Amino acid sequence: MIKNNALKLYGETLSSRLLLGTAQYPSPQILIGSIQSSATQVITVSVRRESGTSRDGQRFWQLLKQSNCKILPNTAGCRTVKEALNTAQMARELFNTDWIKLEVIGNDDTLQPDVFGLVEAARELCQQGFKVFPYTTDDLVVGEQLLAAGCEVLMPWGAPIGSGRGLQNPKALESYRHYFPEIPLVVDAGIGLPSHATQAMEIGYDAVLLNTAIADSGQPTLMAKAFAHAIEAGRFAYLAQPIAQRDMAQPSTPVAGTPFWIS
């Protein structure tokens, strides 16, 4: 039995380390099928996209309830602190949760977080009792500021949202892991392939949050299963303590002492 394979986020214990977005799926049935195939226990929902008061929003909310997953509303698309705060407060009323994935976008082309607004919004939301999951960069100083603001989880990006590039700066993400050894870290955004998710887990990240890589694939339910296995494999590999890389070859079969036959 492998120890330490449960994930804890703000006091919640989870067996799955895949957090799944719910946007862009071809149909509600494929969305539910992908949630089931991924074995996720946390799904993210854009408050700006789904209105809880409209007819479509109510249908979508009822659909999500069928998944029996923890809802993580997000402030996707917000570009100011005020907009993010208002959206978070609306999410708490709509979904009856203090969890919020905080996004404050600073650049329209890269969708890079506005880290100054992010820290300000995170501080205010933490003071209001929210449990904040901040979508941030891999900047260590920003990470420190978010923790000082009251966040207990950090979610640095792997690459721009929806780009599918994977970990564009793995060394920085490794440094982030070493710098915050006791903080739950989630790679959020930019993952395109199951191998990208495995890489994140192998360097010690606690979970991966993704959406586009599954929703926009040819077979989302199958891709969801692939990611579930990839994340599990990466976590097990990290716990197993991989061998160090070497500059020279080292034979797996010793040469000394082996018999030589002469014909």
Side-chain angles (χ1 to χ4, degrees), residues 54-108:
S54 71
R55 184 177 301 175
D56 289 343
Q58 287 291 341
R59 282 200 294 262
F60 186 75
W61 178 222
Q62 291 301 319
L63 181 70
L64 295 182
K65 283 184 177 180
Q66 298 175 22
S67 70
N68 293 318
C69 290
K70 179 80 175 179
I71 302 295
L72 175 60
N74 69 55
T75 64
C78 292
R79 285 169 170 76
T80 67
V81 172
K82 182 178 180 180
E83 195 177 11
L85 294 177
N86 289 341
T87 302
Q89 289 159 359
M90 185 185 303
R92 181 153 61 180
E93 293 182 15
L94 287 174
F95 301 109
N96 192 30
T97 180
D98 290 330
W99 280 25
I100 190 73
K101 179 190 172 188
L102 180 60
E103 296 183 23
V104 182
I105 300 301
N107 183 279
D108 289 337

Side-chain angles (χ1 to χ4, degrees), residues 108-137:
D108 289 337
D109 292 327
T110 64
L111 299 181
Q112 180 172 329
D114 170 5
V115 295
F116 305 102
L118 180 69
V119 172
E120 182 181 345
R123 182 178 297 110
E124 178 64 28
L125 290 174
C126 288
Q127 290 174 354
Q128 294 178 15
F130 282 90
K131 297 175 174 63
V132 179
F133 293 71
Y135 163 61
T136 184
T137 64

